[in-house]
Amino acid sequence: MVAAKRSSGKLNAEMFDDVPVLQRKWQAALRPGEKLPRYEDVMLGSLGRLADHIVLIKDNNQTLEISRTGRYVQKWLGDDRWDIPLSALSPDCATALGEAAANALANGRPHLAVAHSVRDGLVQTYDVLALPTSSRWGGTLIGAYVNERAPQYNLLDAIFSTTDEGVLSLAALRDSGGQPFDFQIVHHNQGASRLLKVPSTGLLWRRLSAGGNLLCSPEVLERLFAVIKTGNRDQFEIDSDDRNLKLGATAFGDILALTVSDVTTLRRREASFRLLFDNNPMPMWVFDAETTGFLSVNDAAVQHYGYSRATFLRMKLQEIWPRDEWVPHAEALQQIGDTYHSDRNWRHLKADGSEIHVLTFGRRVMFEGRDGYLVAVVDITERHKAEARIAHMAHHDGLTNLPNRELYQDRLRQALEQGQPGHKRVAVLCVDLDLFKNVNDSFGHPMGDRLLKAVADRLRSEIRGNNLAARLGGDEFAVILASDVSPNEASDHAARLIQILSASYDIDGIEVVIGASVGIALSPGDGATSEELMRNADMALYRAKSDGGGVHRFFEPEMDRLAQKRRDMELDLRRAFANGEFELHYQPLVDIAADRISGFESLLRWRHPEKGMISPADFIPVAEDIGLIVALGEWVLREACTEAAKWPADVKVAVNLSPVQFRSRNLVQAVISALAHSGLSPLRLELEITESLFLAETEANLAILHQLRGLGISISMDDFGTGYSSLSYLRSFPFDKIKIDRSFIKDIAERSDCVAIVRAISGLGRSLNITTTAEGVETVDQLDWLRAEGCNEVQGFLFSAAKPAAEVQALLARFGRRASQAA
C-alpha cells in the first residue's frame, strides 16, 4: 500500500452503501451536548457482517494501538495480533489507518480516506472510514471500517497501455543453422500502434518480413539482428513522413524488447537551436561540463576572438581566461546550475593577446550526447571603458582633473587609518588663491579657468608619492601630506607651495600674477578624523587670509573657540529673528543752521534674552554671511517707515543698507512695499550705503540706486573719506548726502589735518550741492569747529544716543517740536 488519499467527511454517490450506513449510525448515536458518541452506541449492537471489516484503535497518550480486529481486516493486514502499536503493522496499512485515525481525532468527526495497495504488480483500492468515539474508561476509541472499493488491476499493464511511447515484444525466428532471419510481434501496446500508424490487429503476430510498417525496412532489421546476435543494447533513429522516431532495442534471449518514441519536436528544437547558434551575431559556444573543452563555436565567436574554429575546438575554457582570474573563474564554474548569468564582469583573452571585458550567460544542454553548457557572450569592453571614465569623473574635478572633494576625503580617511598604529602625523593643507577674483573680473571666466588649470599643473608637479592634491571648489585647493611629517616639514612645504603658485603665469600672452594662502592642520593633535582636520585647516586658512594673504598659518585651539563662538552666533541669530528679539533705536540728525532735528538714523539693536545687548559690529557681518541680512533688512525698512509715519512731516528717517541686499535683486520691491505699507512719503526716506557697494557689480548696483532715487528717495554715502576711491564714487552717482566718518571728527579740535579734511569735504559738498553730515559729535568744541567749517548736519552723543521708538517724541519736544506738527 503506497498512500491514503484524503476525502471529506461528507459522503457521495460513488461510495459503497456500508460507508453511509456507518456515518448515519455514528450521527444517530451522538447525544446533545456531547462532542463524540459513546463507543457502545456505535460499535456494539447491529453491525452484522460489518464487524469483520472493523479495526478498533485506541489512543494511548497520543500513541495509536490496535485493540481489536475483524477477520477481513486481519486478512488485509496480514496480521491477527491485538494490543500492539500501530507502528508494528506493515508500513502501508499503518500509514492508511494512522492518517484516517489522526484526522478523525483532530476534527472530532468521521474521516474517510482512500488507500491503494500495490502487491505483486496488482493494484487494489480500499475505503478506510475512521469513526471517533468516547470510551467509558476515558480517552477516545476509533473504530476504522476497511473494505475494497473497486476491482483490482495490473499496474504494469496499465502503465504500458497508457504510455505515449510504443512498447513491443518481438520473438526472433531462427533458421536451420540457428541464425535469426525474421521477427514476429508477440506483444504491443496502443502507443506502438499509434506511432507506427498501423491498427492493433495489423501488428500482433505479424512477421516483420511481411512488411507494412516502419520496422520492416532492411536497415532496421539489420540493427535488430545485431542486437540479438551480440546481446548489446542499441539505440537509433528513423525518419518517415516528416517524423523522427527513436528506437531502443534490448535482447532477453530470443525475445527483443523494443521501445518507440516520437522525437520529432526535439529534433525540430535542435534544428532551431542550430540555426540560432550558427547564425547568431553574438559570440556563442558549447563546452563540455566535465572537461571544459569547447565542443562547438559559432562564426561570431571565431571572428570576435580571432581563433580559428579548429584551434577553438582543441582549447579549454582556461585558455581564454587571464591567469589572475583563473581561481574566481573556476569557482564560478563549480557553482553554476542549469542556468548561469554573470554576477560580475569577466576578462577574456583574444588570439592577439588583447583583453576584453564580457558578461556571460549560459544554460545546461545535451550536445551530441554529452553534458555541456551553451554560453552566449556580450562584449562590454567599451561600456567598461565608459564606466571607468564616469567613475573617474565622479572622483575628479572636471576642469583641472585633480581629485575632487569626495576622493580627497576618502584618501584622507585612508591616510589617517594607516597612520593609527604608530600615530604617524598626517598634514592637511588648505590652499586658497589670492587675487583670483580680480582675474575673473578683469579678464573673464575663460581666463580664470585657464589659470586654475595652470595652478593644478603646478600642484601636480610638486605633489608626489602618497601625497595628494585636490580641488575642493572655486579657487580652493587642498593637499594631503600622508607621510609622517613634522611641523617644520609641513611649514616648508606650505612655503614652497606659496612660492610656486605666486610665480607669474603666461596665459595667452598675458602675464597674470596671483598669490596663495595656506592653512595647516596636523593629526592627531589638530584632529583624529578627516572632518576635524579639514575644518581646522580651513580655520587656519581663514587666519592666513585675515593676516593679509600670501602666508601660511597653523591651526590653533583659539581658532576653534572663535569658530564655535561664530557658530553659536549663527544659531542665535536665526532663533532671534524668528522670536522677534530685534528692535530699532533712533539717533537724531541735527540741522546746525536751524538748530532742529531734521531726521533720525534707525539703528538695529539685538536684545539677547541671556547675553543682553549685542553690538551690531558683532552680529551684522555674521547676518550678511549667512544670508539673514536680506530678510532682516526688509524688516528694518518696514519698521522704520511705519515708525517715521508717526513723526512730524518734515522729519526724515535714514536706513542703512547692506551690499548683500543689493545682490538679492529684490531691494527696490522691498523699499516700495515698506513705503506702501506705512504710507510714508518717499521724500522722507533716506537710504545710507557704504563705498564697499561699488567694489562689485558696479553697473547693476548703480542701476538700483538710480531706480531708488527716481522714486524720490535720498541716497547717502556713509563713512565718507575712509576709502581710496571715494571721490570717484561721487562722479559715478549724484548722492544727496555724504557722511563724514567719525575718525575725522574725533580729533578735529586738536589736529589741523582733521580740520583740513573736514573743510575739504564740506567745501566739496557745497560745490556739488550735497548735504554733509558729521558723525560721532560728542563735545561742544567739535560742534563749534563743524559749524565754522560749514558742515550742514551733525549727530552724536552730544545730542543723544540712539533711543527706542517710544522716546522719539520726547527728543522732538526737547528741540521745540509741538505735537500739533506731527504728521
Side-chain angles (χ1 to χ4, degrees):
M1 187 172 299
V2 295
K5 180 181 177 183
R6 293 187 182 182
S7 176
S8 66
K10 295 183 179 179
L11 305 176
N12 58 55
E14 296 179 359
M15 297 181 183
F16 292 135
D17 292 338
D18 296 346
V19 172
V21 167
L22 289 169
Q23 175 79 1
R24 288 194 296 271
K25 185 173 177 61
W26 184 92
Q27 191 68 41
L30 184 62
R31 299 180 181 181
E34 295 181 349
K35 292 184 178 180
L36 294 175
R38 296 176 184 177
Y39 162 75
E40 295 84 358
D41 295 341
V42 178
M43 292 300 165
L44 299 180
S46 57
L47 285 178
R49 65 175 179 80
L50 298 182
D52 287 341
H53 293 260
I54 298 293
V55 54
L56 190 61
I57 302 171
K58 181 169 55 177
D59 182 13
N60 187 9
N61 294 326
Q62 298 184 343
T63 299
L64 298 178
E65 295 181 353
I66 299 295
S67 180
R68 293 288 185 274
T69 53
R71 283 176 296 179
Y72 178 87
V73 174
Q74 291 174 3
K75 182 179 178 182
W76 176 65
L77 293 174
D79 197 326
D80 59 359
R81 292 178 296 168
W82 292 355
D83 297 322
I84 60 173
L86 198 63
S87 58
L89 299 174
S90 60
D92 51 356
C93 296
T95 300
L97 288 173
E99 180 191 356
N103 279 286
L105 286 171
N107 298 324
R109 295 188 57 77
H111 182 84
L112 178 67
V114 179
H116 302 283
S117 172
V118 182
R119 291 174 182 168
D120 300 325
L122 298 177
V123 181
Q124 179 67 63
T125 304
Y126 292 89
D127 285 325
V128 180
L129 177 65
L131 302 167
T133 63
S134 62
S135 169
R136 69 170 65 178
W137 301 283
T140 306
L141 291 173
I142 301 100
Y145 165 82
V146 180
N147 197 15
E148 66 265 21
R149 162 179 286 200
Q152 63 185 14
Y153 59 90
N154 188 293
L155 181 61
L156 293 179
D157 286 347
I159 292 173
F160 282 127
S161 64
T162 57
T163 181
D164 288 337
E165 287 195 342
V167 180
L168 303 98
S169 296
L170 308 179
L173 303 179
R174 296 181 181 268
D175 59 17
S176 58
Q179 297 298 317
F181 69 92
D182 201 353
F183 289 97
Q184 185 178 34
I185 300 174
V186 296
H187 178 270
H188 69 83
N189 68 350
Q190 291 297 321
S193 177
R194 179 178 53 80
L195 291 173
L196 296 176
K197 296 185 177 180
V198 177
S200 295
T201 54
L203 285 177
L204 190 61
W205 308 116
R206 191 175 185 86
R207 292 189 179 190
L208 296 190
S209 60
N213 61 70
L214 294 175
L215 303 180
C216 303
S217 69
E219 294 81 4
V220 173
L221 280 169
E222 184 179 347
R223 300 288 289 261
L224 298 182
F225 286 145
V227 172
I228 286 292
K229 291 176 181 179
T230 62
N232 297 328
R233 297 184 63 182
D234 193 9
Q235 187 171 282
F236 55 96
E237 293 183 14
I238 57 176
D239 300 335
S240 175
D241 300 330
D242 296 325
R243 290 189 308 150
N244 302 93
L245 298 180
K246 182 178 180 181
L247 305 183
T250 305
F252 300 93
D254 276 359
I255 297 297
L256 195 70
L258 187 66
T259 59
V260 184
S261 306
D262 190 340
V263 293
T264 305
T265 303
L266 177 62
R267 293 295 168 257
R268 287 174 180 171
R269 194 159 54 237
E270 289 177 352
S272 298
F273 161 74
R274 178 60 63 185
L275 181 64
L276 291 172
F277 179 81
D278 289 339
N279 299 322
N280 202 306
M282 182 181 296
M284 301 178 77
W285 55 64
V286 179
F287 72 87
D288 189 294
E290 183 177 352
T291 67
T292 72
F294 290 96
L295 300 178
S296 182
V297 293
N298 68 355
D299 291 341
V302 170
Q303 295 171 6
H304 198 75
Y305 281 79
Y307 303 103
S308 69
R309 192 180 306 279
T311 301
F312 242 132
L313 297 179
R314 290 194 300 269
M315 295 169 61
K316 294 186 177 182
L317 281 176
Q318 289 88 336
E319 296 177 62
I320 65 168
W321 299 343
R323 184 171 290 274
D324 61 322
E325 281 194 356
W326 275 14
V327 173
H329 266 294
E331 290 175 349
L333 203 59
Q334 292 174 357
Q335 295 171 3
I336 61 178
D338 290 337
T339 60
Y340 170 73
H341 301 279
S342 288
D343 59 359
R344 55 167 285 181
N345 297 351
W346 297 104
R347 287 154 46 223
H348 281 179
L349 294 174
K350 297 176 70 172
D352 61 5
S354 62
E355 288 188 357
I356 57 175
H357 292 263
V358 301
L359 294 175
T360 53
F361 305 88
R363 65 180 177 87
R364 206 177 196 102
V365 296
M366 287 300 296
F367 185 82
E368 297 179 351
R370 299 168 74 174
D371 186 16
Y373 281 93
L374 169 66
V375 177
V377 178
V378 180
D379 189 333
I380 59 168
T381 306
E382 291 305 316
R383 190 180 90 184
H384 182 80
K385 291 178 180 177
E387 289 173 349
R389 286 194 296 271
I390 293 171
H392 179 84
M393 291 167 60
H395 293 92
H396 289 78
D397 174 53
L399 178 65
T400 64
N401 203 34
L402 285 176
N404 61 11
R405 183 182 293 272
E406 183 178 354
L407 179 55
Y408 177 83
Q409 290 174 328
D410 186 55
R411 289 286 297 276
L412 179 54
R413 280 191 290 269
Q414 292 179 24
L416 290 172
E417 289 171 3
Q418 293 167 1
Q420 279 297 326
H423 297 289
K424 294 181 179 179
R425 282 176 298 224
V426 176
V428 170
L429 280 61
C430 280
V431 183
D432 192 80
L433 303 181
D434 301 332
L435 305 177
F436 176 75
K437 188 175 184 302
N438 290 354
V439 175
N440 266 346
D441 292 343
S442 301
F443 302 105
H445 289 283
M447 176 71 84
D449 288 347
R450 285 193 284 275
L451 176 58
L452 290 173
K453 290 181 182 179
V455 168
D457 290 340
R458 293 187 185 185
L459 284 173
R460 259 189 295 268
S461 66
E462 184 63 24
I463 305 303
R464 301 179 184 86
N466 292 331
N467 299 335
L468 179 80
R471 182 187 179 206
L472 304 185
D475 61 340
E476 185 180 354
F477 298 82
V479 172
I480 301 171
L481 301 181
S483 54
D484 190 12
V485 293
S486 66
N488 285 341
E489 289 170 330
S491 176
D492 292 343
H493 206 103
R496 190 161 60 252
L497 285 179
I498 292 172
Q499 181 183 6
I500 290 170
L501 298 180
S502 299
S504 63
Y505 298 81
D506 185 348
I507 301 177
D508 297 339
I510 300 174
E511 183 180 12
V512 177
V513 178
I514 58 172
S517 302
V518 178
I520 307 171
L522 285 126
S523 71
D526 296 339
T529 67
S530 60
E531 292 78 9
E532 290 174 341
L533 276 179
M534 290 182 68
R535 184 183 69 242
N536 292 340
D538 199 53
M539 282 191 274
L541 173 63
Y542 182 79
R543 173 64 61 84
K545 299 287 283 187
S546 300
D547 290 347
V551 295
H552 65 272
R553 294 288 182 264
F554 282 90
F555 169 76
E556 298 171 3
E558 176 66 13
M559 297 177 187
D560 196 30
R561 189 189 68 79
L562 294 174
Q564 184 59 50
K565 182 180 177 182
R566 161 69 181 245
R567 287 192 290 272
D568 291 344
M569 179 169 285
E570 289 181 9
L571 293 173
D572 283 351
L573 269 175
R574 297 185 192 280
R575 178 186 50 77
F577 186 63
N579 293 346
E581 295 174 12
F582 293 101
E583 55 190 62
L584 287 183
H585 287 194
Y586 299 90
Q587 186 173 34
L589 299 167
V590 179
D591 184 323
I592 295 179
D595 193 24
R596 68 177 183 86
I597 293 177
S598 57
F600 288 89
E601 180 180 359
S602 59
L603 299 171
L604 185 61
R605 295 292 183 261
W606 178 14
R607 193 182 300 275
H608 194 284
E610 298 172 1
K611 302 173 184 176
M613 280 295 188
I614 296 179
S615 170
D618 292 334
F619 73 80
I620 291 294
V622 179
E624 290 179 333
D625 288 346
I626 66 175
L628 184 63
I629 197 66
V630 175
L632 195 53
E634 291 180 5
W635 177 83
V636 169
L637 275 168
R638 288 196 304 272
E639 189 74 11
C641 290
T642 299
E643 187 62 32
K646 304 173 185 176
W647 304 340
D650 57 349
V651 177
K652 289 187 172 185
V653 64
V655 177
N656 291 281
L657 295 181
S658 164
V660 179
Q661 290 174 269
F662 281 78
R663 289 200 294 272
S664 75
R665 298 295 179 245
N666 192 42
L667 178 59
V668 175
Q669 278 303 114
V671 172
I672 293 173
S673 176
L675 291 171
H677 179 267
S678 63
L680 185 72
S681 166
L683 299 176
R684 295 179 59 196
L685 177 60
E686 187 176 284
L687 298 177
E688 295 187 8
I689 64 171
T690 60
E691 57 187 293
S692 61
L693 176 68
F694 290 90
L695 294 179
E697 303 184 53
T698 304
E699 293 300 323
N701 291 340
L702 280 175
I704 293 174
L705 288 174
H706 279 292
Q707 282 182 276
L708 292 171
R709 201 163 189 271
L711 296 173
I713 298 167
S714 300
I715 306 297
S716 170
M717 180 183 284
D718 201 5
D719 302 331
F720 186 80
T722 57
Y724 66 91
S725 56
S726 297
L727 292 178
S728 66
Y729 300 147
L730 294 181
R731 292 178 55 198
S732 302
F733 185 80
F735 286 92
D736 297 288
K737 179 189 290 187
I738 50 179
K739 300 185 75 173
I740 305 170
D741 190 72
R742 64 182 65 246
S743 61
F744 303 122
I745 309 303
K746 180 182 178 183
D747 298 324
I748 192 170
E750 290 81 22
R751 293 181 52 173
S752 58
D753 55 346
C754 289
V755 174
I757 290 172
V758 171
R759 182 180 299 146
I761 295 175
S762 298
L764 185 64
R766 284 193 299 275
S767 300
L768 296 175
N769 197 27
I770 297 175
T771 301
T772 54
T773 300
E775 298 179 290
V777 180
E778 298 180 357
T779 66
V780 175
D781 283 348
Q782 291 171 346
L783 178 61
D784 291 340
W785 276 101
L786 291 168
R787 183 182 286 113
E789 296 303 332
C791 201
N792 304 118
E793 250 181 7
V794 289
Q795 72 179 103
F797 287 167
L798 177 62
F799 308 100
S800 173
K803 299 291 184 180
E807 299 183 29
V808 167
Q809 293 298 336
L811 286 173
L812 289 172
R814 275 176 49 197
F815 278 80
R817 305 302 299 172
R818 296 189 304 273
S820 61
Q821 292 178 294

